[in-house]
């Protein structure tokens, strides 16, 4: 009996002890033993594993991130869900582990830290709403001030990644008022410097970085930050300070590429600081001859090209840039795109070789990644140059033909003969060069003369821009020819097999003769006749030539005004339209565009408004130019309805350019009106008609972003989702 009582008591005591332990270890208990147990369990189990998963994920993201040394390096690697794809398993594991801490260890001091990891992981995966919510939870409910501040730093970075600079500045203002730990101060300074960098406030950004460097240890991350600071000083024109940071890169354990670019940029600044320095004496030659830099020759030549241009040596700049384009790109496949962009700019702005500039823009756009920050601008520039080159070529051609038509017959014949002779001389010289190059490379053995070094001259077949230039030159001389044998012969019809055999021997002789074509030969006379046939020698053909030239001059002026944003050249071109064609049918629009293109301080500006109102008082352009700005909250609904009807009539009649220009010029005046989205919708359709599929798709995206409550939104979204880019249906 006693034994049974003792046994029963033991069981009862064990039950009491079990209940006590359970109660003591409850996640809701505030007793020291319970809190300590949950702190220990959370830290060394779920939190520890989540922290390790996040570190592995961030390492993988850094490894996946490709630096673009043609751009200012971002101070912090952006939060990008695409970059995070290789680390998705680790991030998902981190989310699972941190959820365990939140669910089973609520009295632990590691809950706040776990929510920070949870927020980071969700942001990396692109789950913005959930990630921001986790960070805000720490700020609202966190028990530790350091954890709350750390969460706010991550929240600030998230806002910056979404380009929400106003909210990011609000967080920065809050944190600047808080007492921060050393590590939080470091992270806050870096994030604030990143904020100002992304907002292109480089002076403020580098000033904050200067305060941050004493808080950093030597590492590749610190080397990268010195490089970013140097780039921003470069942007600000403070090259001596930039070189100070480029030199600091080598003291902070950089990888090879980072060290290479720092050394190269430092040499670049040395030349800029001392314009008398010769490029060959700075140190570039040593870098070119270093075998370790074989994969980076493209960047070296690119930098040398920029410096040659800086020293106003354009031929040398073009030579270096062409060497850059021809060099082995190594792992940096986008460098060639930036090289083509520089060649395009030089050929457009300095050399005025517009055809070649357009071709380089084409080549750059085919290589440049779509996510590159310049892609949209380059695509727009390329589209503008397509239009520009087309109209400029027509104007130049008709100018030349009209000048030829004004000559007396003998002078015209002599001029055509001179053109043929010049083209023939150029052709023969090129043929000799190609034969010499082929012979030198075929028989290039000791004693047989020097072997052609193809690295010193980029063969045309490797350069898409030069290929296209060759095609243009061919069409200019020979016109559009079918790809066939004997394409130079003006008559190739044969009536029998015997004639074909005879013709073959004649053609063989003609080929031989064409190598040194003589004046007066059959081939010469055929070319003379072909070229002369394009000269407008009759009143009808001359009138047609003038009509084509007038149309292209008018379009060229609009390209300058709206696409290339070159108002001065636009004014010059429109003035030429009025001078050459006083009775032009575009006079009312040209008056209007002259008024828009002239700067406010130009005394001639009011004259064009007066002329438009005097000569075309009832035109659309007169109404646009005389319309007084609406007062705040006041909408000129009736007038805008009429304007919309006028523009829609232009759209319906096929005058797309005119309608699009009118809408784009006047969109600010429609701001806030009930018809604003209606005008914007018509603009979308007009862009599809005028600028092609890519611009059309972009305009749909812009509409959806700008008018989220528009009644037309469902239609636009449907068009976007279905990939409907057959513009113009209403």
């Amino acid at each position: 009996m006693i034994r049974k009582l003792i046994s029963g008591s033991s069981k009862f005591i064990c039950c009491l002890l079990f209940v006590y332990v359970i109660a003591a270890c409850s996640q809701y208990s505030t007793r020291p033993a319970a809190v300590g147990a949950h702190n220990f369990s959370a830290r060394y189990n779920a939190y520890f594993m989540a922290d390790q998963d996040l570190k592995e994920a961030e390492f993988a993201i850094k490894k996946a991130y490709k630096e673009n040394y043609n751009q200012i390096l971002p101070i912090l690697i952006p939060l990008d869900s695409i970059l995070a794809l290789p680390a998705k398993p680790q991030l998902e594991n981190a989310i699972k582990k941190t959820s365990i801490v939140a669910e089973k260890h609520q009295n632990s001091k590691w809950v706040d830290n776990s929510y920070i990891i949870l927020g980071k992981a969700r942001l990396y995966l692109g789950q913005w709403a959930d990630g921001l919510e986790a960070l805000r939870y720490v700020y609202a409910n966190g028990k530790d001030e350091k954890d709350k501040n750390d969460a706010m730093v991550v929240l600030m970075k998230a806002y910056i990644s979404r380009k929400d600079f106003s909210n990011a500045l609000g967080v920065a203002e809050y944190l600047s008022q808080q007492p921060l730990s050393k590590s939080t101060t470091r992270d806050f300074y870096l994030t604030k410097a990143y904020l100002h960098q992304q907002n292109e406030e480089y002076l403020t950004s580098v000033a904050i970085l200067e305060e941050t460097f004493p808080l950093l240890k030597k590492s590749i991350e610190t080397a990268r930050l010195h490089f970013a600071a140097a780039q921003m000083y470069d942007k600000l024109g403070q090259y001596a300070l930039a070189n100070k940071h480029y030199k600091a890169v080598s003291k902070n354990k950089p990888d090879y590429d980072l060290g290479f670019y720092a050394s190269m940029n430092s040499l670049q600044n040395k030349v800029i600081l001392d314009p008398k320095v010769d490029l060959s004496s700075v140190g570039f030659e040593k870098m070119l001859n270093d075998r370790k830099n074989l994969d980076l020759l493209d960047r070296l030549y690119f930098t040398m090209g920029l410096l040659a241009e800086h020293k106003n040596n354009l031929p040398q700049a073009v030579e270096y840039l062409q060497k850059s384009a021809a060099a082995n790109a190594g792992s940096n496949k986008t460098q060639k795109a930036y090289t083509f962009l520089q060649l395009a700019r030089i050929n457009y702005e300095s050399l005025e070789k517009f055809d070649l500039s357009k071709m380089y823009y084409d080549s750059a756009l085919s290589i440049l990644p779509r996510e590159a920050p310049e892609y949209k601008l380059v695509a727009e520039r390329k589209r503008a140059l397509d239009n520009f080159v087309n109209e400029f070529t027509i104007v130049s051609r008709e100018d030349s033909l009209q000048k030829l038509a004004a000559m007396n017959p003998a002078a015209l014949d002599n001029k055509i003969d001179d053109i043929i002779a010049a083209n023939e001389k150029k052709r023969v010289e090129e043929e000799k060069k190609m034969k010499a190059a082929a012979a030198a490379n075929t028989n290039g053995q000791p004693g047989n003369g020097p072997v052609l070094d193809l690295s010193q001259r980029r063969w045309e077949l490797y350069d898409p821009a030069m290929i296209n230039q060759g095609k243009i030159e061919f069409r200019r001389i020979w016109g559009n020819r079918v790809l066939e044998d004997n394409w130079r012969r003006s008559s190739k019809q044969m009536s029998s097999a015997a004639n074909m055999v005879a013709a073959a021997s004649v053609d063989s002789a003609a080929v031989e003769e064409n190598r040194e074509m003589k004046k007066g030969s059959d081939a010469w006379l055929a070319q003379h006749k072909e070229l002369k046939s394009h000269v407008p020698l009759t009143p009808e053909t001359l009138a047609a030539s003038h009509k084509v030239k007038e149309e292209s001059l008018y379009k060229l002026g609009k390209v300058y005004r709206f696409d290339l944003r070159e108002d001065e050249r636009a004014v010059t071109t429109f003035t030429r339209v009025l001078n050459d064609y006083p009775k032009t049918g575009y006079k009312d629009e040209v008056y209007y565009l002259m008024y828009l293109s002239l700067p406010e301080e130009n005394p001639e500006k009011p004259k064009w408004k007066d002329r438009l109102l005097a000569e075309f008082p009832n035109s659309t352009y007169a109404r646009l130019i005389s319309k007084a700005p609406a007062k705040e909250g006041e909408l000129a609904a009736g007038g805008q309805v009429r304007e919309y009807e006028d523009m829609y009539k232009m759209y319906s009649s096929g005058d797309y350019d005119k309608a699009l220009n009118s809408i784009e010029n006047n969109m600010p005046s429609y701001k806030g009106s009930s018809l604003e989205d209606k005008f914007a919708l018509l603009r979308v359709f007009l862009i599809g008609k005028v600028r092609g599929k890519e611009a059309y798709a972009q305009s749909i995206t812009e509409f959806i972003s700008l008018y989220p409550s528009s009644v037309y939104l469902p239609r636009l979204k449907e068009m976007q989702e279905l990939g409907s880019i057959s513009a113009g249906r209403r």
Side-chain angles (χ1 to χ4, degrees):
M1 175 66 74
I2 294 174
R3 192 173 294 174
K4 286 182 179 180
L5 286 172
I6 293 173
S7 176
S9 299
S10 299
K11 288 180 181 180
F12 178 73
I13 292 169
C14 287
C15 288
L16 285 177
L17 287 172
F18 179 75
V19 170
Y20 176 79
V21 169
I22 292 298
C25 292
S26 170
Q27 62 175 322
Y28 303 106
S29 173
T30 58
R31 295 189 180 192
V35 172
H38 282 284
N39 279 341
F40 184 87
S41 180
R43 179 179 182 181
Y44 294 107
N45 287 287
Y47 173 77
F48 175 81
M49 290 185 284
D51 187 47
Q52 292 302 307
D53 283 329
L54 183 65
K55 286 177 180 176
E56 288 179 18
E58 288 180 331
F59 180 80
I61 290 169
K62 287 180 182 178
K63 190 175 179 182
Y65 183 74
K66 300 298 181 185
E67 303 283 14
N68 182 357
Y69 292 98
N70 287 288
Q71 301 293 325
I72 295 176
L73 299 189
I75 290 171
L76 301 178
I77 293 176
L79 294 168
D80 187 338
S81 57
I82 303 298
L83 278 176
L85 284 176
K88 188 175 180 180
Q90 292 93 328
L91 292 170
E92 289 177 342
N93 283 338
I95 291 171
K96 291 177 184 176
K97 299 298 188 299
T98 52
S99 299
I100 292 173
V101 177
E103 291 171 5
K104 298 184 178 181
H105 305 287
Q106 289 190 18
N107 58 349
S108 167
K109 68 178 182 179
W110 298 99
V111 171
D112 295 344
N113 307 74
S114 298
Y115 268 106
I116 293 173
I117 291 177
L118 175 64
K120 283 184 178 180
R122 291 202 181 279
L123 290 174
Y124 279 127
L125 290 172
Q127 300 168 7
W128 291 96
D130 292 338
L132 295 178
E133 183 182 356
L135 296 170
R136 290 177 185 136
Y137 176 86
V138 177
Y139 170 69
N141 302 290
K143 299 173 184 177
D144 184 270
E145 288 300 318
K146 182 182 183 304
D147 293 338
K148 292 170 70 172
N149 291 333
D150 287 344
M152 293 301 282
V153 170
V154 180
L155 183 66
M156 183 178 167
K157 181 181 177 182
Y159 284 139
I160 298 168
S161 296
R162 298 296 297 270
K163 304 295 182 186
D164 187 354
F165 297 134
S166 59
N167 270 328
L169 281 169
V171 176
E173 183 65 26
Y174 165 79
L175 287 171
S176 65
Q177 305 298 321
Q178 304 302 310
L180 305 178
S181 68
K182 184 176 180 180
S183 63
T184 307
T185 300
R186 177 199 63 209
D187 294 342
F188 169 56
Y189 281 0
L190 288 175
T191 308
K192 194 167 191 302
Y194 179 52
L195 166 62
H196 291 289
Q197 182 197 46
Q198 294 303 296
N199 214 15
E200 298 185 1
E201 298 166 345
Y202 299 123
L203 188 60
T204 306
S205 182
V206 290
I208 296 171
L209 276 183
E210 294 286 10
E211 296 294 321
T212 313
F213 284 122
L215 303 175
L216 303 175
K217 297 179 180 178
K218 286 187 177 182
S219 66
I220 188 172
E221 287 80 11
T222 304
R224 185 179 174 280
L225 291 171
H226 276 292
F227 190 90
Q231 287 181 303
M232 287 189 282
Y233 276 125
D234 278 341
K235 194 80 172 177
L236 294 167
Q238 300 184 27
Y239 303 109
L241 286 172
N243 269 6
K244 170 189 166 186
H245 285 281
Y246 282 133
K247 290 174 182 176
V249 170
S250 61
K251 300 175 183 177
N252 282 275
K253 306 175 183 178
D255 60 22
Y256 187 81
D257 279 3
L258 187 60
F260 166 84
Y261 282 103
S263 299
M264 185 184 62
N265 289 1
S266 180
L267 292 180
Q268 180 178 347
N269 286 347
K270 185 176 179 181
V271 175
I272 293 173
L273 289 168
D274 186 0
K276 296 180 181 179
V277 170
D278 184 31
L279 287 182
S280 59
S281 66
V282 176
F284 283 108
E285 293 297 329
K286 182 180 178 181
M287 296 183 77
L288 286 170
N289 294 327
D290 190 336
R291 292 174 59 188
K292 295 193 295 296
N293 295 334
L294 267 179
D295 287 346
L296 297 165
L297 291 180
D298 54 346
R299 180 66 200 201
L300 272 169
Y301 281 124
F302 176 78
T303 303
M304 294 171 75
L306 296 183
L307 290 173
E309 184 189 5
H310 179 76
K311 295 167 81 69
N312 293 319
N313 189 341
L314 292 181
Q316 189 180 55
V318 171
E319 179 187 353
Y320 282 138
L321 289 171
Q322 287 178 338
K323 285 182 177 181
S324 171
N328 177 26
S331 60
N332 187 9
K333 304 299 182 185
T334 60
Q335 177 57 55
K336 196 183 295 290
Y338 291 101
T339 301
F340 283 146
L341 287 178
Q342 289 298 325
L343 284 165
R345 185 183 53 77
I346 290 173
N347 278 283
Y348 178 81
E349 295 177 359
S350 303
L351 304 179
E352 296 192 350
K353 294 181 178 179
F354 304 119
D355 281 339
L356 194 54
S357 175
K358 172 188 174 301
M359 301 310 169
Y360 278 123
Y361 272 116
D362 288 344
S363 301
L365 200 63
S366 67
I367 302 171
L368 196 65
R370 296 184 71 89
E371 63 273 12
E374 307 88 352
Y375 186 88
K376 184 178 178 182
L377 291 175
V378 174
E380 186 65 22
R381 187 74 173 181
K382 185 259 181 191
R383 183 194 64 77
L385 272 181
D386 284 347
N387 296 333
F388 169 80
V389 168
N390 182 57
E391 305 306 335
F392 184 85
T393 302
I394 293 172
V395 171
S396 300
R397 183 191 68 208
E398 298 305 323
D399 265 342
S400 300
L401 291 174
Q402 289 167 21
K403 287 177 183 177
L404 291 174
M407 293 180 175
N408 64 58
L412 175 60
D413 287 335
N414 289 334
K415 182 65 177 177
I416 292 175
D417 285 340
D418 290 343
I419 293 171
I420 295 172
N423 290 337
E424 184 63 14
K425 181 179 179 182
K426 182 179 178 182
R427 183 188 67 79
V428 171
E429 287 176 354
E430 285 297 320
E431 188 176 273
K432 286 179 180 178
K433 287 180 183 178
M434 295 303 295
K435 284 184 177 179
N441 281 278
T442 302
N443 304 314
Q445 298 177 5
N448 290 345
V451 179
L452 178 67
D453 183 2
L454 290 178
S455 67
Q456 300 302 313
R457 180 182 183 276
R458 192 175 189 207
W459 192 32
E460 284 79 354
L461 291 182
Y462 295 130
D463 191 332
M466 296 183 74
I467 293 172
N468 285 314
Q469 186 187 24
K471 290 178 180 178
I472 292 171
E473 184 71 10
F474 180 90
R475 284 195 295 270
R476 185 183 68 79
I477 299 171
W478 301 102
N480 288 322
R481 296 295 182 99
V482 179
L483 184 60
E484 58 184 349
D485 292 338
N486 312 316
W487 54 267
R488 278 201 184 95
R489 296 178 62 82
S490 58
S491 176
K492 299 182 286 296
Q493 295 183 356
M494 302 298 168
S495 57
S496 67
N499 284 342
M500 292 175 70
V501 173
S505 62
V506 171
D507 286 342
S508 178
V511 170
E512 200 68 34
E513 182 185 12
N514 278 339
R515 289 177 184 167
E516 295 183 9
M517 190 167 57
K518 302 296 182 183
K519 185 176 180 179
S521 66
D522 290 342
W524 185 287
L525 294 175
Q527 277 197 51
H528 190 285
K529 182 179 179 181
E530 172 72 16
L531 292 176
K532 193 172 183 178
S533 69
H534 296 290
V535 181
L537 297 174
T538 66
E540 294 79 14
T541 55
L542 186 60
S545 174
H546 276 294
K547 185 65 179 174
V548 170
K549 177 183 165 185
E550 177 191 349
E551 177 84 12
S552 287
L553 265 177
Y554 154 75
K555 289 182 178 178
L556 185 62
K558 293 209 297 182
V559 171
Y560 276 132
R561 174 69 177 86
F562 297 110
D563 295 340
L564 298 176
R565 314 292 186 193
E566 297 185 25
D567 287 347
E568 189 174 337
R569 289 187 175 183
V571 168
T572 301
T573 307
F574 289 135
T575 302
R576 187 178 171 190
V577 172
L578 296 173
N579 290 340
D580 292 0
Y581 304 100
K583 297 182 180 180
T584 178
Y586 304 113
K587 188 179 286 188
D588 57 341
E589 186 179 359
V590 169
Y591 285 173
Y592 176 68
L593 293 174
M594 286 286 283
Y595 176 77
L596 291 181
S597 302
L598 287 167
E600 290 296 329
E601 63 274 11
N602 192 306
E604 294 289 310
K605 188 179 181 75
K607 178 184 77 173
W608 295 104
K609 178 179 179 179
D610 295 340
R611 289 179 69 173
L612 177 60
L613 295 176
E615 297 180 32
F616 305 96
N618 299 319
S619 68
T620 300
Y621 301 106
R623 291 200 302 273
L624 290 173
I625 209 170
S626 61
K627 182 176 63 179
K631 295 179 181 178
E632 188 175 353
E634 182 180 317
L635 304 176
Q640 290 187 355
V641 169
R642 288 191 294 274
E643 285 179 26
Y644 181 84
E645 289 172 351
D646 289 340
M647 291 176 191
Y648 189 72
K649 283 177 184 176
M650 286 188 273
Y651 169 76
S652 300
S653 62
D655 198 352
Y656 306 126
D657 281 316
K658 198 170 183 179
L660 180 59
N661 290 335
S662 295
I663 284 184
E664 292 191 332
N665 290 337
N666 294 282
M667 278 305 291
S669 66
Y670 310 139
K671 194 74 175 173
S673 76
S674 58
L675 296 178
E676 182 184 356
D677 60 339
K678 195 175 182 72
F679 278 104
L681 180 67
L682 182 56
R683 176 179 174 270
V684 170
F685 294 139
L686 286 165
I687 284 174
K689 290 291 187 183
V690 174
R691 297 177 183 169
K693 296 180 179 180
E694 185 175 311
Y696 181 60
Q698 178 64 29
S699 67
I700 291 176
T701 303
E702 290 173 358
F703 184 100
I704 293 171
S705 174
L706 291 172
Y707 305 101
S709 59
S710 171
V711 294
Y712 306 114
L713 198 63
R715 169 73 188 279
L716 269 293
K717 283 187 175 179
E718 180 183 356
M719 291 161 65
Q720 186 184 51
E721 290 169 3
L722 296 175
S724 174
I725 47 180
S726 55
R729 292 175 298 193
R730 186 172 186 269

